[in-house]
Amino acid sequence: MPNLTEADKRALHEALVVDRRTKIQELAERARRLLQLDDQGTVYLQMARDRLSDSQLVGLQLAGRKLASLLELKPDDSMSGEELSAATGIPYKALTARLSELRRKGWIESPERGKYRAVFGAMDELLAEVERPR
């Protein structure tokens, strides 16, 4: 591993490290265009369902749950397959295929069998995917 001078370290830091508050604000603004939460942590979509693929719909539900948990509106940041099926209207069998797609992309993870949650570090990418025109 190369030894970096202090000037090299400063240059690397300036190029790569961003203000956390700025990144959180950007994420919040992007999320607000796509979803809202009520005081119980229920996710409300800000776009018509027919503009979303099933994978995007599932991703938005899980992103909303993650945000609701971070805001302490929900005690847990994960959802079961049954909860996701009820929230999205996607039949369970089809839902499992969508969950597999999202896991392969690295946007969601399964903290335990049958539970799913959004990966915080991938939420910006997930939300950007939803914003792109289909």
Side-chain angles (χ1 to χ4, degrees), residues 2-63:
N3 291 327
L4 298 178
T5 66
E6 287 305 312
D8 292 338
K9 290 177 186 177
R10 278 192 305 280
L12 192 58
H13 187 274
E14 288 173 14
L16 295 176
V17 178
V18 296
D19 177 62
R20 179 178 176 83
R21 179 163 286 209
T22 300
K23 289 305 292 178
I24 295 290
Q25 184 65 36
E26 289 171 3
L27 179 64
E29 289 170 10
R30 175 167 269 159
R32 170 96 181 177
R33 291 190 295 267
L34 301 171
L35 60 89
Q36 289 185 333
L37 304 170
D38 67 16
D39 62 350
Q40 301 296 306
T42 302
V43 176
Y44 297 93
L45 301 180
Q46 296 299 104
M47 58 190 342
R49 166 66 176 97
D50 63 355
R51 291 190 53 216
L52 298 169
S53 69
D54 286 351
S55 291
Q56 291 172 331
L57 180 59
V58 172
L60 280 178
Q61 284 294 327
L62 290 172

Side-chain angles (χ1 to χ4, degrees), residues 96-113:
T96 58
R98 304 299 72 83
L99 290 165
S100 292
E101 289 172 15
L102 292 167
R103 284 179 73 184
R104 277 194 300 276
K105 288 181 176 183
W107 293 351
I108 69 167
E109 60 189 1
S110 182
E112 62 185 79
R113 186 171 172 83

